[in-house]
Amino acid sequence: MTTLPDARHAVPDATALPAVRRRITAVLIASQILGGLANATGIALAAVLAAETSGSQALAGLASAAMVAGPALLAMPLAALMTRRGRRPGLVLAYLLGVLGAAVVVTGAVLVNFPLLLIGMAVFGAGSLGNLQARYAAADLAEPERRARAISTVVWATTIGAVLGPNIAAPAGRSVTRLGIPAAAGPFVWAAGVFLLSAVLVGVLLRPDPLLTARALDGGAAHSAAARSLRAGVSAIRQSPRARLALVTVAVSHTAMVSIMSMTPVALTRHGADIQLIGLVISVHIAGMYAFSPVMGRLADRLGRLSVIGLAAGLLCCAALLAGTAGASHGQTMAGLFLLGLGWSAGLVSGSALLTDSVPGPARAAVQGLCDLTMNVSAGLGGLAAGLIVARAGYGWLNAAGAALLLPMAALALLTSRRHGTPDKGRAPAAD
């Protein structure tokens, strides 16, 4: 191994790099399992808790809005920290903020203080931002032709915790009621402990730092701070049509998913579903989000990013059709939510890989931060609108609105394909 002055750690040579990739991937997989468990446990009853605390179903959508507004506000500061210090400090900070947010949510629920509850949910959302940013950490050292698979492997790891999380919401609620904590807030108590474990794991074991290592291997000493700045990230997106398509794909897929998913528990409750059934539906949805991500990664590497973006649009439209017309058919709602998760997975994996492909290495961390900022702002607005749409027009109209969001994404993908051709299956950035 060699050491570069600006990397401040040993840089693996060609023979050691495969072992470093495997070790970093293993740590990221473990942290994703824990982070997925914590996040899914908390969000399972977030809308229900918000409705109970506020006394209004129309305000229930503010729970998901807050959970994505927090990450939106923190995306760029976190990206700036990672740009300067590497992935490890940023991920640790995100998970610790998840711990703090969970504690504030529980406090707001106990005090029946809805504004405090929303603040806590916003901070709690930082934990999910940590999980989202981990997909880029997986791509830092991956070969270009295997980049989508590297991203999808880490996304897939979330399946274990994310599917388990909603199903332990009920026992988590029962465990805290004797302490005077509302049952719907119990999942946040458990989530705080799990996020703390994830922070410790990443802080101790994510070494060497993947971003700093990738930068050093790429000749990091030659890159100025300006090349890694926010301005450079904005410029990189502006100059690349493929990067713009990638950003739109990730943002629209995430917004459609969050808007529909967040209000599904409320719609199920109106049709007589209990907490156990709601947990099962959300578990199936989360399985769709994560369990098949390796398939999406392989397809994106083999067939091209645009092909999988088209698949994402089709799956999300089918999901909205099924869920929006389900009515009291819980089985149809479950099928719709599964396809909703599958479409999200296709959009996130292909969009994230295309984004990383399409911008220069020094600007990637800033561009990735901008992407997560955009997706969380968009989803926050979607979550806010979702509660109002359901309260005034119904769950079916919410799904129709979610499907309409996909039109700009599909149009931009078609335009990009016609003008620039199908992107290579993992390639270095080129002039567009």
Side-chain angles (χ1 to χ4, degrees), residues 346-373:
L348 183 77
V349 171
S350 60
S352 299
L354 180 60
L355 185 72
T356 305
D357 292 341
S358 303
V359 298
R364 280 178 186 161
V367 168
Q368 290 159 355
L370 283 167
C371 179
D372 282 357
L373 168 64

Side-chain angles (χ1 to χ4, degrees), residues 34-343:
L34 292 172
L37 175 62
N39 190 56
T41 301
I43 68 173
L45 297 179
V48 175
L49 180 60
E52 289 180 358
T53 306
S54 66
S56 169
Q57 284 193 345
L59 297 178
L62 289 176
S64 62
M67 283 187 175
V68 292
L73 293 173
L74 293 168
M76 289 316 301
L78 197 66
L81 175 61
M82 289 183 179
T83 298
R84 294 193 306 270
R85 303 288 300 277
R87 299 289 185 193
R88 186 173 64 252
L91 294 177
V92 169
L93 177 60
Y95 291 134
L96 290 178
L97 286 172
V99 176
L100 175 62
V104 176
V105 167
V106 174
T107 302
V110 171
L111 299 177
V112 197
N113 187 320
F114 187 58
L116 184 61
L117 183 86
L118 292 181
I119 292 172
M121 287 184 174
V123 180
F124 179 81
S128 66
L129 181 61
N131 267 25
L132 286 171
Q133 283 286 320
R135 75 191 191 275
Y136 294 126
D140 285 333
L141 294 176
E143 304 97 321
E145 67 274 10
R146 295 183 60 87
R147 190 168 283 145
R149 274 171 281 186
I151 292 171
S152 66
T153 297
V154 172
V155 172
W156 168 85
T158 311
T159 308
I160 301 171
V163 172
L164 179 62
N167 288 292
I168 66 173
R174 290 193 297 269
S175 71
V176 301
T177 53
R178 71 187 67 178
L179 302 175
I181 298 174
F188 287 93
V189 177
W190 287 30
V194 179
F195 267 143
L196 183 59
L197 286 176
S198 191
V200 171
L201 176 72
V202 170
V204 173
L205 297 180
L206 193 64
R207 300 172 186 273
D209 188 283
L211 179 60
L212 297 184
T213 302
R215 186 179 296 162
L217 289 171
D218 192 36
H223 298 312
S224 67
R228 302 192 293 262
S229 66
L230 174 61
R231 180 175 296 180
V234 173
S235 177
I237 293 174
R238 184 183 297 120
Q239 293 172 13
S240 172
R242 292 187 178 97
R244 294 196 294 273
L245 170 61
L247 189 147
V248 169
T249 296
V250 172
V252 169
S253 300
H254 193 59
T255 302
M257 185 277 292
V258 168
S259 300
I260 296 172
M261 181 274 293
S262 65
M263 294 308 296
T264 299
V266 176
L268 287 170
T269 301
R270 288 180 176 178
H271 289 289
D274 58 15
I275 289 179
Q276 297 286 357
L277 179 58
I278 292 172
L280 178 60
V281 171
I282 297 301
S283 290
V284 169
H285 165 66
I286 293 173
M289 290 175 65
Y290 300 115
F292 296 90
S293 58
V295 176
M296 301 305 174
R298 184 170 292 275
L299 289 174
D301 281 337
R302 291 173 65 90
L303 303 180
R305 317 310 194 205
L306 281 183
S307 298
V308 182
I309 289 174
L311 176 62
L315 287 170
L316 290 168
C317 280
C318 289
L321 176 63
L322 280 175
T325 60
S329 174
H330 300 323
Q332 185 174 328
T333 300
M334 186 181 298
L337 266 288
F338 174 74
L339 289 181
L340 184 71
L342 206 60

